[in-house]
Amino acid sequence: EGGPGEERWLFLELKLLADVGLLGFPNVGKSTLISKISAAHPKIADYPFTTTVPHLGVVKLPNYRSFVVADIPGLLPGAHQGVGLGDRFLKHLERTNIILHLLDVSEGSDQQDPVGEYELLNKELRLASPKLGELPQIVVASKLDAASPSQLQKVEEYCRRQGLDLYPVSAITGQGLDDLIRKVAEQILSLRSVG
């Protein structure tokens, strides 16, 4: 005869599994980028918070290789505490190997501070999880086709001082995308060979 059964309440978290996570403030060009380098079709519009759920895209490489990119919705200050559902979105980054950190350098961003945004989001990563703060990052100067020379120069100088890899790209014209994909592929394949 059977005895009394066990009963439990479980809280399960779903985390996307991707090689690369796209990180940035709302409207920096993450969805446009993933739509150009993969077959993903996220909603793209000219207003903040167009992306409300993460999207996955597969980037195809030569010799039947590929890597998976996750488009994480835009984050805000206080994301690690749940502002704008940021704590939920940050959890998806925990399963990635590399972060592409997008900064908007377009003319329309002249009222913004891309370097300040970069530092603020990195602080959010560290506050959310020490592991997130240690993930390798590649900085992407986004919207190069409409770049503000002063914004681009500010980001270039900061990255040079900090020893950060910087890849200026335009997802609209395709400028810089091949170099970026090549760099990401090198890092991913290197990590796979080590792991």
Side-chain angles (χ1 to χ4, degrees), residues 23-34:
L23 174 69
F25 267 65
N27 247 33
V28 295
K30 298 180 300 294
S31 296
T32 305
L33 178 62
I34 198 173

Side-chain angles (χ1 to χ4, degrees), residues 39-70:
H41 296 291
K43 182 178 179 183
I44 299 170
D46 192 19
Y47 55 86
F49 303 108
T50 311
T51 304
T52 55
V53 294
H55 292 275
L56 292 178
V58 178
V59 178
K60 296 186 187 231
L61 304 170
N63 299 323
Y64 304 101
R65 295 182 178 205
S66 63
F67 62 85
V68 179
V69 179

Side-chain angles (χ1 to χ4, degrees), residues 71-119:
D71 174 14
I72 307 299
L75 298 176
L76 295 171
H80 75 283
Q81 295 175 319
V83 172
L85 300 179
D87 55 337
R88 295 184 190 177
F89 300 147
L90 283 167
K91 288 180 190 296
H92 294 292
L93 285 174
E94 290 177 357
R95 299 294 300 269
T96 63
N97 296 314
I98 297 173
I99 292 175
L100 290 187
H101 197 139
L102 275 71
L103 302 175
D104 184 352
V105 295
S106 67
E107 287 284 351
S109 70
D110 279 340
Q111 305 306 315
Q112 300 165 343
D113 176 16
V115 169
E117 290 176 359
Y118 174 83
E119 292 179 339

Side-chain angles (χ1 to χ4, degrees), residues 112-176:
Q112 300 165 343
D113 176 16
V115 169
E117 290 176 359
Y118 174 83
E119 292 179 339
L120 197 148
L121 285 188
N122 274 299
K123 180 180 176 186
E124 290 294 330
L125 292 179
R126 290 189 300 274
L127 289 170
S129 155
K131 181 188 175 220
L132 279 176
E134 295 171 3
L135 283 174
Q137 289 191 30
I138 297 171
V139 183
V140 178
S142 179
K143 304 183 183 180
L144 189 59
D145 54 292
S148 157
S150 63
Q151 290 286 57
L152 182 57
Q153 183 180 4
K154 195 184 307 181
V155 170
E156 286 172 339
E157 288 173 359
Y158 177 81
C159 289
R160 196 169 25 258
R161 283 194 313 271
Q162 300 295 322
L164 298 168
D165 287 331
L166 174 66
Y167 286 82
V169 303
S170 167
I172 299 298
T173 67
Q175 184 179 356

